[in-house]
Amino acid sequence: MTLRTDSLSASIRYDGSVRSLQLEASTAEALTAFEGEASAAGDGHVLTGSLTTANAKALQAAFPALRPQLIGGHRTSVGTGDRTGLATPGQARAFGAQGGNVMPVLAQQSIREMDRLGRSAQSVMDDAVFGLVEAGWDSGFGADCDHIKTTEGIDRGLEAGFVMFTLDPGDLVADVTGGVNEADAAALPWDQLQDTLEDTKKRYVGMTLDVGHSQIEVTEQDVLTAVVKYGRAVVESMRLYRHVTENAQQEVEVEFAVDETTWLTTFFEHFYMATELTRLGASWFSFAPRYVDGFEKGLDFLGDTEELRLNLEAHHAISQQFGGYKISLHSGSDKFSIYPLCVEATQGLVHLKTSGTSYLCGVEVVAAHDPELFAAIWDISRASYVKARASYQVSAHEDRTPTSLTGVDLPELIRSADARQILHVGYGDSLNGTDASGASIHDRFLAVVAENQAQHTDVLAAHIGQHLAPFAAAPTGR
């Protein structure tokens, strides 16, 4: 595939597993911003270059569609993270074939995943840009620097040109399962909240909260619980928010996420956070509460679907009271049974995030072409599962999976629930590991996938397309 302007065309060439940037231009001047070997060719000029940051930035300057765009609060959107840097072409094809009007977020990775894989925010952006050139994608994309917990993480994303920042104050969400009292609430940093406990109680106690399908009478205990549980998270959210907005050189947008916590976000707690963040001057396009249980990595939804429907409807009703921001679904990979429900319950004001499922598509390609490499990935992932699962919602049991792969149907193994989760959360240890000869598994993985990129793209396009079709049917312009 090729991207074109009136004076320049760009494509990606494969020579086995080695990729290069190929440019053709009508004038030599059109190539001056690029690194590589240039020469005259017929009536024009050509350049062959490496996939460097300088070339990615030059492409963004030449092709407006390669510059990240704001996602916006009133268009259904789906993020498809890429742990390997090779998934974007298949993801883009899926959006083109089955994405409808869904906004694609094709540069999406959490700071945690970047650190585990030794990637920079810039390399994530660069890989997305080159992948979009490979796909010939000219319809725009979003870029999400995901699950940020530090100002240093924000700075990384800003420098690389990200325009969406998912701010995660989850470490400051308090465990209130043992109960709270007024003394607990009084100990909050009220100066940073620019408020007092008495004024907070006056704002909320006795109010009736409309959550669409029901109404909630807010008690003093509800308020004490909410402020103790989320008060410090509000302070941290604002610290991160101010850093983004005060340091951004480009227009940016924010999602707040408290989904990666043990404790569900009640409807009043969502309302409390939204009210306090608004009072302190924040604005956002998407919010990720901690939903009902059932959102496990790599598997379909395992919880009560009717409970989820009521949960989403209520969170959506609360968002409508603050202008109608989107409800964000994290750990959204492979939840095929609930996608139509999610679209209906939120009236299309929904943002879905996937990541690990695209990595597993790459694992499928490796299993098909290099079973020995897959076995090394499997052994490391399985051995590290007990440690790796601490960061995720998973329920796999490694003792239900094979230790030897002799005679095992590898595609069937990858599709099985236990193995799927083990591989899903074991990516960091396996890709950072070495095979029996001491060679880098990461390098071998990329080489096998790149050598079979046509198949990889096909597998991704089909699998991500399954995710997109229900969201493409969502209403727009709400």
Side-chain angles (χ1 to χ4, degrees):
M1 302 293 288
T2 303
L3 279 183
R4 289 186 172 87
T5 67
D6 291 340
S7 61
L8 182 68
S9 67
S11 60
I12 302 296
R13 176 184 295 173
Y14 280 79
D15 181 6
S17 63
V18 179
R19 298 178 294 158
S20 60
L21 174 65
Q22 305 296 307
L23 299 170
E24 297 181 8
S26 56
T27 66
E29 289 74 20
L31 299 175
T32 56
F34 294 92
E35 298 177 337
E37 184 177 334
S39 61
D43 294 333
H45 300 263
V46 297
L47 182 145
T48 299
S50 300
L51 305 190
T52 63
T53 293
N55 280 340
K57 290 185 175 181
L59 284 166
Q60 289 181 306
F63 296 92
L66 298 180
R67 305 168 203 161
Q69 301 176 4
L70 297 180
I71 300 166
H74 294 277
R75 179 180 175 186
T76 305
S77 48
V78 174
T80 51
D82 179 5
R83 292 173 175 172
T84 66
L86 292 169
T88 298
Q91 294 167 348
R93 185 193 293 179
F95 278 98
Q98 296 184 268
N101 195 46
V102 173
M103 175 66 180
V105 183
L106 295 169
Q108 171 197 282
Q109 191 160 47
S110 68
I111 294 295
R112 175 182 62 209
E113 288 190 348
M114 292 183 206
D115 289 344
R116 285 183 177 175
L117 294 173
R119 299 180 81 193
S120 67
Q122 187 64 60
S123 68
V124 173
M125 182 67 71
D126 294 349
D127 287 335
V129 168
F130 293 123
L132 291 167
V133 171
E134 183 177 332
W137 181 259
D138 61 1
S139 298
F141 73 107
D144 177 11
C145 200
D146 197 14
H147 277 291
I148 300 172
K149 296 177 180 285
T150 66
T151 56
E152 183 271 338
I154 292 170
D155 292 341
R156 285 196 238 173
L158 288 173
E159 184 177 5
F162 281 78
V163 295
M164 174 183 169
F165 292 82
T166 299
L167 306 181
D168 180 356
D171 292 345
L172 278 298
V173 176
D175 181 359
V176 296
T177 54
V180 301
N181 55 41
E182 187 134 352
D184 297 322
L188 289 173
W190 289 103
D191 57 335
Q192 296 177 67
L193 287 166
Q194 300 175 27
D195 202 12
T196 67
L197 177 56
E198 287 308 309
D199 285 343
T200 298
K201 288 195 289 187
K202 288 176 184 176
R203 237 184 342 268
Y204 299 112
V205 174
M207 72 171 292
T208 300
L209 177 61
D210 187 348
V211 295
H213 52 64
S214 60
Q215 294 186 326
I216 298 169
E217 300 297 325
V218 179
T219 68
E220 181 170 337
Q221 191 59 46
D222 291 332
V223 176
L224 293 175
T225 300
V227 299
V228 172
K229 184 175 179 181
Y230 286 107
R232 288 182 174 83
V234 168
V235 171
E236 180 66 1
S237 295
M238 290 305 304
R239 184 180 75 89
L240 297 173
Y241 177 84
R242 291 177 183 126
H243 190 85
V244 172
T245 55
E246 291 170 5
N247 289 277
Q249 301 299 307
Q250 66 269 22
E251 191 175 0
V252 297
E253 59 193 350
V254 163
E255 172 178 297
F256 290 112
V258 291
D259 62 297
E260 290 191 347
T261 60
T262 303
W263 314 286
L264 303 187
T265 306
T266 69
F267 305 144
F268 173 68
E269 289 164 355
H270 176 175
F271 180 81
Y272 163 78
M273 284 199 74
T275 301
E276 297 305 301
L277 290 169
T278 299
R279 181 179 63 82
L280 291 168
S283 61
W284 60 97
F285 86 101
S286 184
F287 182 79
R290 170 65 158 84
Y291 301 105
V292 297
D293 288 337
F295 283 88
E296 292 196 11
K297 295 292 183 182
L299 305 180
D300 206 339
F301 182 68
L302 300 176
D304 184 316
T305 55
E306 188 55 32
E307 184 181 12
L308 176 63
R309 179 190 299 277
L310 294 173
N311 200 256
L312 288 172
E313 286 176 352
H315 286 301
H316 171 67
I318 292 167
S319 80
Q320 294 296 96
Q321 298 178 43
F322 296 88
Y325 51 82
K326 286 192 281 196
I327 300 301
S328 189
L329 299 170
H330 296 207
S331 298
S333 298
D334 307 304
K335 307 295 184 291
F336 302 112
S337 68
I338 62 167
Y339 293 151
L341 176 159
C342 294
V343 170
E344 181 182 2
T346 61
Q347 298 182 289
L349 287 180
V350 60
H351 177 61
L352 177 74
K353 293 195 184 189
T354 77
S355 179
T357 198
S358 290
Y359 165 68
L360 292 179
C361 290
V363 171
E364 287 183 40
V365 173
V366 168
H369 294 278
D370 193 340
E372 178 187 334
L373 175 59
F374 174 79
I377 292 170
W378 172 250
D379 288 344
I380 294 173
S381 297
R382 191 176 184 278
S384 68
Y385 175 68
V386 172
K387 178 188 71 173
R389 68 183 178 189
S391 300
Y392 300 95
Q393 292 183 48
V394 288
S395 59
H397 289 269
E398 69 276 14
D399 56 4
R400 296 194 296 232
T401 62
T403 54
S404 170
L405 298 182
T406 303
V408 173
D409 184 319
L410 297 185
E412 183 177 340
L413 175 67
I414 294 169
R415 288 191 293 268
S416 68
D418 288 310
R420 195 166 182 80
Q421 289 195 332
I422 289 168
L423 291 165
H424 197 298
V425 305
Y427 72 93
D429 287 310
S430 59
L431 292 179
N432 285 316
T434 56
D435 62 17
S437 68
S440 164
I441 288 178
H442 178 266
D443 292 348
R444 284 187 64 185
F445 186 102
L446 293 184
V448 172
V449 173
E451 286 171 3
N452 299 279
Q453 178 71 325
Q455 179 187 358
H456 182 227
T457 297
D458 289 343
V459 171
L460 274 163
H463 188 61
I464 297 300
Q466 284 185 270
H467 291 73
L468 296 177
F471 293 91
T476 58
R478 294 276 180 174

